[in-house]
Amino acid sequence: MSVFETGSESATAAGARDWRRVAYLVHVSRALDHLEETVLVPAKKVAYQFSARGHDLGQVLLGLRLTDRHDGVCGYYRSRPMLLSLGVPLEEALGSSMARAGGYSDGRDIGVVFNYPNPDGPSALPMCGGVGSQYTPTAGWAQAIEYRSSRLGDPAFASAMGVVLGGDASVATNGFWSALTIATTQRLPMLFYIEDNGYGISVPSVYQTPGGDIAANLASFSGLHVLHGDGTEPAEAVRLIDEAVAHVRGRRGPCLLRLRVPRLEGHSFQDTQTYKSPEVVAAEWARDPLPKLEAFCVPALMSLAEWQAIADRAAADVAAALHSADARPVAEPDTVTSFVFSDATPQKKGGLRGEGVTLPTGDTTPRPEGTRLNMVTAIRRVLDHELTVNPRMVVFGEDVGPKGGVHAVTLGLQEKHGIARVFDTSLSEEGIVGRAVGMALAGLLPVPEIQFRKYADPAVEQINDCGTLRWRTHNRFAAPMVLRMPVGFFKSGDPWHSQTNEVQFVHAPGWKVAVPSNAEDAVGLLRSALRGDDPVMFLEHRAMLDASWARRPYPGDAYVLPFGQAKITMPGRDLTIVTWGAMVERAEEAAKQVVAAGTHSVEVIDLRTLMPWDRETVLASVARTRRCLVVHEDLRTAGFGAEVVATVAEEAFMHLDAPVVRLTMPDVPSPHNAVLLDAVVPSVARIRAKIDALLEF
């Protein structure tokens, strides 16, 4: 349903509202902007400054309507008035802008990138620096609210909602459209609050949306309640905001509210707005909501003296906050490497641990049972068991439901555990991973699937943002998840389905990366990931999913394999092979040929995880064998093998009797024809040849 509203109301008809609180917060926002622009930026105490003038009234009115302690709101760089209305202390806001210790990030992130794990009320979800990246995590939060209310039966979530703020330029992003699809198809309790100031930095909104009006374009969007109006008129803005919030809280589906507001200063402090004519600038200042708020309140709701007293108190409070914020030190430099991954200190919000929920630690000793299983069956069995014991776990992705996944890993799981827990998604990897972030922030354990490694590319922004989330919020928030992804060749290759490129995820701070080569390791690593407290990239090699060599007996429902523990799959004395994934089988076969020749023996190490990776086992082996060959399927240049080679050369150089050597694919995409594929992927024969050459060196 679409509704387009305009009009005006008197102060009396605007309903019960603490307009003195509204006036105070708007004045505080203005005072903060003025202080930064005139003092802190020129003094180089604030590096990034984005004025909220013109946007402030609407945000304050909305923020004061977010009263449920499970409401979650995700803003963007011009959303400080919203944060203030949620109760963020002024010294926190200023100290964060000044990059001092404490605050939003302990000085790790720019001060306009907000978060607020509110213990007593609505939380501000960790925003990101990328435009549009706030939408899909908010959709995930809204879906988690629905799940915890309807599936887990928690009445505390019955009226909670997710709210996302965005400017008119952000509605052109993939994140906006993906979240819109998620929210409307799932009828989620989500409010899209669009502040349309007519510009994306210097680009007019007509370049972002046909006609420059996203509300008009979405008038017939199924399942979406649409409202729009003037965000500078107090009575009109409050009426529309109240209607939007009531619609979402009443579980009548998502709502999009577009309010027209002026951007009274440049995009940022450095932006001089030379792209605007003097007439445009004057017209925008004529729409300043602060004088309109004064006219609305005085004399109908307060005297002029009261209004001035509120402004004076706001200025005094900001001055006092500056004194406190400026006294804060810079964080100790030796702490900057903390909280990349979880440690003994739990995050304030996000994941199971953030809510005090613990899972069994498991058993590190495998207890084999039954016949040998392929990796597909082994992974499915772990997912099935963990879904059974952990009601907060959900599995989702494209085709994971009735079809059971394109590789059959989730076959039968939806039938057993229900559509709320194992479900299909729209075709948007941005939406899959972004939704998982929001779910994790809301206390669920999301297990999303990306069908093939190459398909993860549209989700790279969300992947990177998720990995840095704990670090950049200084352990205030975390978003643990297990992202499953098939990689590598299978019978044939191609540039779209056969990529490995695991090094990209190793190079993304905050992600753990597992690359099991067989069913037993897949069981242990997956269960370890599902019971952990970090984002994990779980890479399932397509060639090994049903390979005979990779089959192993099931090691038990309690078996966990800690990350960072390599395995010596074949002991040897004359050369060390370091490898992982599908190359382990080929390395072992080449090593067996050397042993069969009767002159040498070769040690094969399966790293099993690349982040973290077991440097100690590799270095100890090389110290014994004095030779090292690294074999991997990924491309040669800047592949993970280069990291292993560099570490061996740097830390075991004096032990070496030969150069450290790599055998990899050349720097070409995976070819489709099987003959061409065999020509580029390391083969047993080429591994054997490298071994012989190193032994003869």
Side-chain angles (χ1 to χ4, degrees), residues 29-40:
S29 180
R30 295 290 174 108
L32 288 170
D33 283 341
H34 179 74
L35 173 65
E36 290 174 340
E37 292 162 347
T38 60
V39 177
L40 298 180

Side-chain angles (χ1 to χ4, degrees), residues 574-578 583 586-587 589-591 593-594 600-603 626-632 636 645 657-666 679-697:
D574 300 308
L575 182 144
T576 298
I577 297 180
V578 182
M583 295 298 104
R586 297 185 179 198
E589 180 57 35
Q593 292 180 9
V594 173
H600 296 92
S601 65
V602 175
E603 188 148 289
R626 311 184 78 84
R627 289 173 171 81
C628 182
L629 170 63
V630 182
V631 181
H632 65 70
R636 179 180 180 85
V645 169
D657 287 340
V660 189
V661 174
R662 285 174 291 168
L663 179 61
T664 72
M665 276 185 61
V680 295
V681 175
S683 64
V684 173
R686 282 193 290 279
I687 297 172
R688 171 66 190 277
K690 286 289 186 182
I691 294 172
D692 291 342
L694 272 175
L695 291 174
E696 293 169 3
F697 184 85

Side-chain angles (χ1 to χ4, degrees), residues 23 79 163 192 205 269 293 314 330 361 451 472 511 587 589 642 654:
S79 299
V163 179
F192 295 79
S205 59
F269 179 81
L293 178 61
V330 174
T361 55
Q451 285 186 347
R472 59 186 164 83
W511 282 92
E589 180 57 35
M654 300 304 293

Side-chain angles (χ1 to χ4, degrees), residues 266-613:
H267 168 72
S268 64
F269 179 81
Q270 293 78 13
D271 179 17
T272 59
Q273 299 200 97
T274 55
Y275 45 85
K276 291 182 180 179
S277 69
E279 293 76 19
V280 168
V281 172
E284 289 182 328
W285 275 100
R287 298 180 58 229
D288 184 354
L290 184 57
K292 293 185 178 185
L293 178 61
E294 180 180 0
F296 177 83
C297 292
V298 178
L301 300 175
M302 66 184 76
S303 68
L304 182 59
E306 287 179 289
W307 173 268
Q308 188 57 52
I310 289 172
D312 292 343
R313 180 164 64 91
D317 289 348
V318 168
L322 174 62
H323 180 75
S324 298
D326 206 18
R328 290 186 174 188
V330 174
E332 290 295 330
D334 60 2
T335 66
V336 75
T337 56
S338 63
F339 300 130
V340 175
F341 295 108
S342 60
D343 64 13
T345 305
Q347 60 273 16
K348 294 181 179 179
K349 203 168 193 67
L352 305 186
R353 195 165 170 230
E355 299 197 1
V357 177
T358 58
L359 295 173
T361 55
D363 185 353
T364 57
T365 302
R367 305 184 188 282
E369 58 185 59
T371 59
R372 286 158 47 96
L373 304 177
N374 64 12
M375 279 183 65
V376 167
T377 306
I379 293 170
R380 184 191 305 131
R381 187 163 171 179
V382 174
L383 293 174
D384 182 16
H385 179 265
E386 296 302 305
L387 281 164
T388 301
V389 301
N390 182 4
R392 296 195 184 205
M393 175 175 158
V394 289
V395 176
F396 55 93
E398 297 160 20
D399 301 305
V400 305
K403 181 177 175 61
V406 294
H407 299 91
V409 173
T410 58
L411 191 64
L413 294 183
Q414 185 182 85
E415 183 178 1
K416 180 175 181 179
H417 296 281
I419 196 171
R421 305 197 62 201
V422 181
F423 56 88
D424 289 324
T425 68
S426 50
L427 202 161
S428 170
E429 286 75 19
E430 148 92 22
I432 292 171
V433 180
R435 178 192 319 208
V437 170
M439 287 181 162
L441 291 172
L444 301 185
L445 172 58
V447 187
E449 177 186 297
I450 301 293
Q451 285 186 347
F452 298 94
R453 164 63 192 86
K454 181 66 175 65
Y455 294 1
D457 288 355
V460 165
E461 180 177 49
Q462 291 295 338
I463 289 171
N464 289 336
D465 291 348
C466 175
T468 63
L469 196 150
R470 183 191 297 274
W471 179 88
R472 59 186 164 83
T473 66
H474 198 230
N475 206 39
R476 288 155 65 106
F477 285 91
M481 69 175 70
V482 180
L483 179 53
R484 296 179 39 252
M485 191 182 311
V487 300
F489 67 88
F490 175 58
K491 296 181 181 178
S492 62
D494 67 73
W496 317 111
H497 302 86
S498 305
Q499 187 181 94
T500 52
N501 195 22
E502 62 269 15
V503 72
Q504 179 172 337
F505 303 128
V506 175
H507 205 66
W511 282 92
K512 292 184 175 180
V513 181
V515 284
S517 66
N518 61 79
E520 179 182 292
D521 288 352
V523 168
L525 290 171
L526 181 56
R527 182 168 287 111
S528 182
L530 293 170
R531 297 188 180 184
D533 194 35
D534 291 293
V536 175
M537 195 71 62
F538 193 81
L539 305 181
E540 304 165 3
H541 200 288
R542 297 168 64 215
M544 310 312 291
L545 287 174
D546 192 35
S548 176
W549 177 90
R551 298 183 182 192
R552 303 285 192 278
Y554 186 70
D557 284 336
Y559 179 54
V560 295
L561 175 58
F563 278 50
Q565 293 186 6
K567 182 178 182 179
I568 298 175
T569 66
M570 284 185 61
R573 63 180 182 275
D574 300 308
L575 182 144
T576 298
I577 297 180
V578 182
T579 188
W580 56 89
M583 295 298 104
V584 178
E585 178 185 13
R586 297 185 179 198
E588 285 190 1
E589 180 57 35
K592 289 176 182 177
Q593 292 180 9
V594 173
V595 173
T599 55
H600 296 92
S601 65
V602 175
E603 188 148 289
V604 177
I605 298 177
D606 181 357
L607 286 183
R608 305 199 288 197
T609 65
L610 301 184
M611 179 55 70
W613 69 282

Side-chain angles (χ1 to χ4, degrees), residues 8-30:
S8 60
E9 291 184 61
S10 67
T12 303
R17 179 80 54 155
D18 187 351
W19 288 100
R20 287 171 176 78
R21 180 69 177 164
V22 173
Y24 171 76
L25 291 171
V26 174
H27 277 297
V28 165
S29 180
R30 295 290 174 108

Side-chain angles (χ1 to χ4, degrees), residues 125 133-142 434-435 437-439 441 462:
L125 308 184
S133 58
Q134 68 269 34
Y135 287 106
T136 52
T138 309
W141 179 276
R435 178 192 319 208
V437 170
M439 287 181 162
L441 291 172
Q462 291 295 338

